[in-house]
Structures are given as C-alpha cells and as structure tokens.
Amino acid sequence: MITLSPAVRFTDASIDMAHGAGGTASRRLVEGLIVPLLGTREPLGDAACFPIESGELAITTDSFVVRPLRFPGGSIGELAVNGTVNDLAVSGATPLALVVSFIVEAGTATAVLEEEVRAMADAARRARVPVVGGDTKVVEHGKADGLYVTTTGIGRVDSRSRLGTAGVRPGDRIILSGHIGDHGITVLLARGDIDLQASLQSDTRSVYPFCAALMDAAAPGVRWMRDPTRGGLATTLNELARDCGMGMVLAEDSVPVRDEVRGACELLGLDPLHIANEGQLVAVVAPEAADAALAALHGVEGGEAAAMIGEVRAAPARTVLLTASYGGTRVVDMLVGDPLPRIC
Amino acid sequence: MITLSPAVRFTDASIDMAHGAGGTASRRLVEGLIVPLLGTREPLGDAACFPIESGELAITTDSFVVRPLRFPGGSIGELAVNGTVNDLAVSGATPLALVVSFIVEAGTATAVLEEEVRAMADAARRARVPVVGGDTKVVEHGKADGLYVTTTGIGRVDSRSRLGTAGVRPGDRIILSGHIGDHGITVLLARGDIDLQASLQSDTRSVYPFCAALMDAAAPGVRWMRDPTRGGLATTLNELARDCGMGMVLAEDSVPVRDEVRGACELLGLDPLHIANEGQLVAVVAPEAADAALAALHGVEGGEAAAMIGEVRAAPARTVLLTASYGGTRVVDMLVGDPLPRIC
C-alpha cells in the first residue's frame, strides 16, 4: 500500500528508544524519513528562520491524540495539519509556516509513522503551507498510544476585517459551512466498540478556502469565525454567547445533519450539536452581507451544504436556543463530561 | 508545599478525560488554572495575534517527555520553557512568544499539573518571554506518563552576525559555557535505579544571557552557537564537523566536568561528552574575538566556568578528536544507541 519514495532511506522496521536519543539513530530517522517526506529545511533542533514583513502575526498550537490513528476519511497526521491550519484560518490569518513535534511509542512500526508523515506532507501541500521544522521524541512501549502529534502554525492576519466577539450585534446571521458530527461519529465507529455500520467519513480538511471566500465576499461584514471541533457546534456557540453576552437562536431544521449521524446519535443518546467536526466553519455575518457570504460558501468545494442556521439576539443573554422542527424551543448547553474521548 | 494563588479557581483533585473534551470541564481547567498562572490571553483553540515588525523570524518546537517529572534543580515545565528559549537563543534570536501544549494522563493529580504550569510561568518570566496560547489534551490512565509538554517559540533574529556552519573556518576557537553532563546524570540518579549518591543539580536554565553577552562582545566573530542537549557535546560537535566538513580538536583537560559526573560516568561506562546538558552553550568564535567572547561569558551568572576547549582544523575532515590529559588522541563519536532514555 505504501510506495517508498526514492528519497526515503530509513529502513529500520520499527521505532525504538535510540531513535529519540539525539544520536546517530535519531539522525537517520529524521534525515532518512521525516525530512525527505516533509521537505523540512532545519530539522535537528535548530530554529528555522525566514524573512517576515511587518503586520499582525497569529500563532496557534494543538496536540493530537486521536484514537485510532487512521479512520475513514483521514488520520492523525492529516488532522494535525488541518486542525492547526484551521485555527489560523478562523482567526482571519493566512498560514505561513508549520512546525511539528512527534511523540512516538517505542515498537511502533516504521510504516505507521511513515504513513502519518506522508499524510502531513499531503495535507500541508494542499493547504499550501510549508513545514519548516520539527522534533521527535520516543517513549517506552506502553507509555503512549502509537503516536501523538503536536502542530504549531503561524500566519499573517488579514487586515480587512476585525474579527472577534466585540463586533457581534443583534440581528447578525449565523452561517455554517456544512453537515455537523461526521468526524466524531466516524472516529467512534472506527474504534469498533459499537456495532453500527455507516458509510460515513471524517470531514477533516482545511477550512481556509471557506474563510478566504467569506472574507472576499463579505469582509467588513464578517464579525467572527470558528471551527467547531471538540465539544461541537453547541459548545462553540455557547462560548460565543458567553463572550459577547448575547443569545444565539438556531432553527433545528436548518442545521445540516446526515441521517447516519442523526441515527448514531439517537442510538447512543448523544446530541449531534455536541459532536466534534474537523472541517466545518461557523461564522457570524452582518445581515446585509449574509446572502453574499452564503453564496460564497456554496461556491467552495465542500461548502455545497452551507446554510444560514440562525441569528444573534440581544436576549436571552449568554444562551443558545434551538427552535425544534415540531415548534418547541430548548436551551442548548455546552458539552458536559466526555461522551467521545480522543476524537482529535 | 504549593500555595494556591488567589487567581487559581480550579479545585478538582485530579485530571480526568472530561478535562480534555473541549466542554465545560476543559473550560474550567484552562480558565481556572492554566490561564491565571501563565497569563495567557487566548487559550481556547483560537490563535493568539500580535503585531510584528519586518525582519527575520525564527521558530522552533520541542516535545518534553523527561522522566521523572521533577528532579534536583528543575522539572519538565522549566525544561520545556528553557529548552525552547535556548533553541531560539542559539539561532541568534531574541524570544518573542511561546505557545504550549499539554498531554495529560487521566488520573494525574491536579497538584502535579499545577506545579509544572507554575514552573513554566516562572521560567518564562525569568526569560522575559510571554506564553501567548496553548492547548490541553487528556489521554486515558496508562496511555502517557503523567505529563508530556510541547513548547513552540518564535523569536526575532539578531542581524549582527550570520550564524551557521558556512562561516566556520580553520583556526576558529571552540568555547563552552560551563560543566557538562550535570542534567543527564541528575535525571538518571533521580530515577533511583542506580545506587549512587551525588549532590548534583540539573543545569536547566535559559542560555539567552550567554548568547546575548557573546553577541555583544564579539558579534561579527561569532560563527555558530548550539546548546548541546540530547547526545551531549560529542554529538553536537560531530554534527558541526560533518556539516562544515572540518575537524574539531578538543583538549580533554580544558572541558569542565564535575567530579560527581565523571565518577558516575566511570561507574556506568558512559562518556561525559555523550551526556545531555540543558543550560550550556557551545560556540565557534573567530580567533581574534575569542578572548573577548570568553571574558563576556565569565561575566554572566552561571558562566564562571566557561572555557576555551579546542579549535577548528581543516583536517581530519568531519571528525572530532580529543587530546587526552595523558597525551594520547582519540576520535570522539556521535552517541550511538540510548544509554540515558528520556532525559528531556
């Protein structure tokens, strides 16, 4: 399944402690596998240096501990690049560079690590952002779960819109880029703990194209953007409601949820609004810019199901309300506890 | 032992899976413990944004998996800040900002995490660099070793010297900031696997003051700097020799090694040159700048034992030689294997 690229010269069958010790074995792993695949220039603990113009810089870091490492539609490596690119994108920033740090469990097959480094390289290429540096540590067998990946990204902030909760006003529209819950339910099913079959795929992808299209179409009217990952759309909108002191009123019928996700949630007693996404964007947009914003999302690959799902109200303050299809209204809380551990 | 700062409002006795799920428990942990201690502005997955002037930017990332978490003279949190600050400093950069990501094992006492967050805050304050953002993930009990920390730093590159192996010339002097091996042997003894007593402390600290003093005293004559961590001084100098194609000739008598480190190494069959350091600087300096550089290091706290330990020669190419006190000369190799796993 894996075709060795000519540049890969690392032939050890699995990773052991010496590959994290900083000596010759570390150098063989980094120079023989990681650098050729990622195209990193400065791999061995030095800092990577590059010129930068003055402006506003964005920086974000995330660790990824998803279990299993691979699942339909994605893997930890792809997630690690997309998640960090997305944190920059929703901050209104264009990604400039990534650095990555691996914590590998001794005994992990080299093929597993190689697949993830390749997945990172592919995702970075698609997002058009270079991986400029990194680090690799190895811990004893049993002291990690195959592989943990930490990715940090820096980006240049787009000066066209002042994003943040301070600009959110009553009457603003809430726009969502597509179906929710695909990632969380896909990973849950991939673990095989639950006897459910569904042809579902993770939505992991860069949301930068969504953000860029939104800014191009509606820049001064774009108030706030976020990718609703851990805790789902409900948690993200509750944080927004709390931070801006207003209410978010959603129409249940307008929130795109696939039948497979709805079915799995009903069986498991979960709310799709609490399920993690990895390639969705939720944005608050001024009412006069909302139609243009929605049309822009519809024109981006993967944004065909984008929808206007609700609006901002002055009251009830700090609350998310859902108007159900049968007419009733209920309060949507933040996620409490952890029904789906380690989905990213 | 730990005095709760008034700002800390997180009272759960230990960390569980829900604290990594992104919902209310995550928010309580981040806003109640991590943000108050670190003073971070944008903690919850957003990117942190700040203005930057044009110039050359340096970025570096490292994961820390040291075992045990605390040892004489330091701890994982302090190491995670100092290690990243040091990678920037030896690249000739002034640290501007750090971001940090925690992977916590479920069941870890909150007091343990709090101590490390405090240690990071203290180290960052001493290094005068703000922690601007972060992430927290939790994995099941048994799936990590208490706590892993990944720290990423960005810095502004000092334009006074073009550091790199390309500038190294035969006749250049090799300068070391102080005693080698303290960190690695301290961590080894702290594990209690070996029945040895020694009043040794880790040398973990920011080497930025060393680097700044060196640049101030000898800027255009400073060719190359590095902190010899994993793999020790031998590995760092072998990498330099390989990268610049020259030979490094060291005088054994001039390399500062404490009696405790020498004794432990003799008992264990290790070479002090292979033992990790966390607060030492090794630099290559033009011959005419060497005296000023050494005097500058002597004037910095912790640099009292700085020494001129050798020089660069055209031959033997790509080799590190040590002239022993009894007169013989031996080749010093890179570290092979991993005699001291997980020392950072």
Side-chain angles (χ1 to χ4, degrees):
Chain A
M1 193 173 79
I2 304 163
T3 50
L4 282 176
S5 115
V8 172
R9 301 178 307 272
F10 183 79
T11 53
D12 299 9
S14 65
I15 306 301
D16 64 40
M17 296 301 291
H19 295 118
T24 52
S26 292
R27 192 150 178 147
R28 280 194 300 109
L29 170 64
V30 171
E31 296 186 350
L33 182 79
I34 296 176
V35 170
L37 292 177
L38 290 181
T40 311
R41 282 172 307 166
E42 299 275 8
L44 283 163
D46 316 34
C49 300
F50 50 92
I52 190 158
E53 286 170 31
S54 64
E56 202 172 5
L57 195 75
I59 184 166
T60 183
T61 192
D62 271 297
S63 289
F64 294 84
V65 298
V66 65
R67 189 172 56 84
L69 297 179
R70 299 191 79 81
F71 41 82
S75 70
I76 190 171
E78 194 175 356
L79 217 56
V81 168
N82 290 341
T84 296
V85 164
N86 290 352
D87 281 345
L88 292 172
V90 299
S91 302
T94 303
L96 291 177
L98 301 178
V99 289
V100 55
S101 193
F102 299 100
I103 298 175
V104 189
E105 180 185 9
T108 298
T110 299
V112 168
L113 178 61
E114 181 179 342
E115 268 198 290
E116 294 317 315
V117 178
R118 261 179 215 283
M120 297 193 81
D122 289 345
R125 209 172 296 123
R126 282 195 299 275
R128 293 189 187 142
V129 53
V131 180
V132 298
D135 183 42
T136 307
K137 293 293 194 307
V138 181
V139 295
E140 294 87 350
H141 185 59
K143 292 299 182 186
D145 221 358
L147 180 65
Y148 301 146
V149 183
T150 302
T151 320
T152 306
I154 59 170
R156 166 174 303 287
V157 179
D158 189 323
S159 57
R160 287 178 294 176
S161 193
R162 296 303 309 172
L163 296 171
T165 55
V168 174
R169 297 280 172 273
D172 284 352
R173 302 294 194 268
I174 304 168
I175 293 180
L176 179 67
S177 61
H179 297 89
I180 60 168
D182 292 5
H183 177 73
I185 297 298
T186 298
V187 172
L188 184 72
L189 297 182
R191 287 188 197 146
D193 300 342
I194 292 151
D195 190 19
L196 258 182
Q197 298 291 328
S199 60
L200 209 54
Q201 288 218 325
S202 165
D203 59 357
T204 180
R205 90 187 115 212
S206 161
V207 302
Y208 178 73
F210 294 154
C211 299
L214 215 58
M215 295 296 275
D216 287 346
V222 181
R223 316 288 204 201
W224 173 95
M225 301 191 287
R226 192 73 66 88
D227 56 328
T229 55
R230 280 186 292 179
L233 185 64
T235 299
T236 299
L237 289 180
N238 266 286
E239 289 180 350
L240 170 62
R242 208 192 71 160
D243 291 346
C244 72
M246 297 175 207
M248 307 293 142
V249 182
L250 307 182
E252 187 172 34
D253 282 347
S254 65
V255 179
V257 184
R258 290 185 210 280
D259 290 342
E260 294 92 329
V261 170
R262 198 183 302 281
C265 283
E266 278 173 10
L267 271 168
L268 299 165
L270 301 173
D271 185 339
L273 292 166
H274 283 142
I275 308 297
N277 314 282
E278 285 293 338
Q280 301 304 333
L281 174 73
V282 57
V284 171
V285 177
E288 66 277 11
D291 288 336
L294 189 59
L297 286 182
H298 284 154
V300 177
E301 190 186 337
E304 298 81 4
M308 198 115 50
I309 61 169
E311 68 173 65
V312 180
R313 301 259 176 89
R318 298 181 182 74
T319 304
V320 178
L321 288 181
L322 186 79
T323 306
S325 26
Y326 56 81
T329 292
R330 69 174 172 97
V331 171
V332 176
D333 282 326
M334 282 179 82
L335 176 68
V336 177
D338 190 3
L340 295 182
R342 297 182 56 188
I343 38 65
C344 65
Chain B
M1 192 173 77
I2 304 162
T3 50
L4 282 175
S5 117
V8 172
R9 302 178 307 271
F10 182 79
T11 53
D12 300 9
S14 66
I15 305 301
D16 64 40
M17 294 301 291
H19 295 118
T24 51
S26 292
R27 192 150 179 146
R28 281 194 298 108
L29 170 64
V30 171
E31 295 186 353
L33 181 78
I34 296 176
V35 170
L37 292 177
L38 290 182
T40 310
R41 283 172 305 165
E42 301 274 9
L44 281 164
D46 314 37
C49 300
F50 51 92
I52 190 157
E53 285 170 31
S54 64
E56 204 174 4
L57 195 75
I59 183 165
T60 184
T61 192
D62 271 298
S63 289
F64 293 84
V65 297
V66 66
R67 186 172 56 86
L69 297 178
R70 299 191 78 81
F71 42 82
S75 69
I76 190 170
E78 194 176 354
L79 216 55
V81 168
N82 290 342
T84 296
V85 163
N86 291 353
D87 281 344
L88 292 172
V90 298
S91 303
T94 304
L96 291 176
L98 301 179
V99 290
V100 54
S101 192
F102 298 101
I103 297 175
V104 190
E105 180 185 8
T108 298
T110 299
V112 169
L113 178 61
E114 181 179 344
E115 268 197 290
E116 294 317 315
V117 178
R118 261 180 216 283
M120 297 193 82
D122 289 346
R125 207 172 297 121
R126 282 196 299 275
R128 294 190 188 141
V129 53
V131 181
V132 299
D135 183 43
T136 307
K137 293 292 194 308
V138 182
V139 295
E140 296 86 350
H141 184 59
K143 293 297 183 186
D145 220 358
L147 178 65
Y148 300 145
V149 183
T150 302
T151 320
T152 306
I154 58 171
R156 167 174 303 287
V157 178
D158 190 323
S159 59
R160 288 177 294 175
S161 193
R162 297 303 310 175
L163 296 171
T165 54
V168 174
R169 297 278 172 274
D172 284 352
R173 302 293 194 268
I174 304 168
I175 293 179
L176 177 68
S177 61
H179 297 88
I180 59 168
D182 292 5
H183 176 74
I185 297 297
T186 299
V187 171
L188 184 73
L189 297 181
R191 289 189 195 146
D193 300 341
I194 293 152
D195 190 19
L196 259 181
Q197 299 289 328
S199 60
L200 209 55
Q201 288 218 325
S202 166
D203 59 357
T204 180
R205 89 187 116 212
S206 162
V207 300
Y208 179 72
F210 294 155
C211 299
L214 214 57
M215 295 295 274
D216 287 346
V222 181
R223 316 285 204 202
W224 172 94
M225 300 191 287
R226 192 72 66 88
D227 56 329
T229 54
R230 282 186 290 178
L233 185 64
T235 299
T236 300
L237 288 180
N238 266 285
E239 289 180 349
L240 169 62
R242 207 193 71 159
D243 292 347
C244 73
M246 296 175 206
M248 307 292 141
V249 182
L250 308 181
E252 186 170 33
D253 282 347
S254 64
V255 179
V257 183
R258 291 184 209 282
D259 290 342
E260 295 92 329
V261 170
R262 200 183 300 280
C265 283
E266 278 173 12
L267 271 168
L268 298 165
L270 301 172
D271 185 338
L273 292 166
H274 283 144
I275 309 295
N277 313 281
E278 286 293 338
Q280 300 305 333
L281 174 72
V282 57
V284 171
V285 177
E288 66 276 11
D291 288 337
L294 188 61
L297 286 182
H298 285 154
V300 177
E301 188 186 338
E304 299 81 2
M308 197 114 54
I309 61 168
E311 68 173 65
V312 180
R313 301 257 177 91
R318 299 180 181 76
T319 304
V320 179
L321 289 181
L322 186 79
T323 305
S325 27
Y326 56 81
T329 293
R330 67 174 172 98
V331 171
V332 177
D333 282 325
M334 283 180 81
L335 176 68
V336 177
D338 190 3
L340 295 181
R342 295 180 57 186
I343 39 66
C344 65

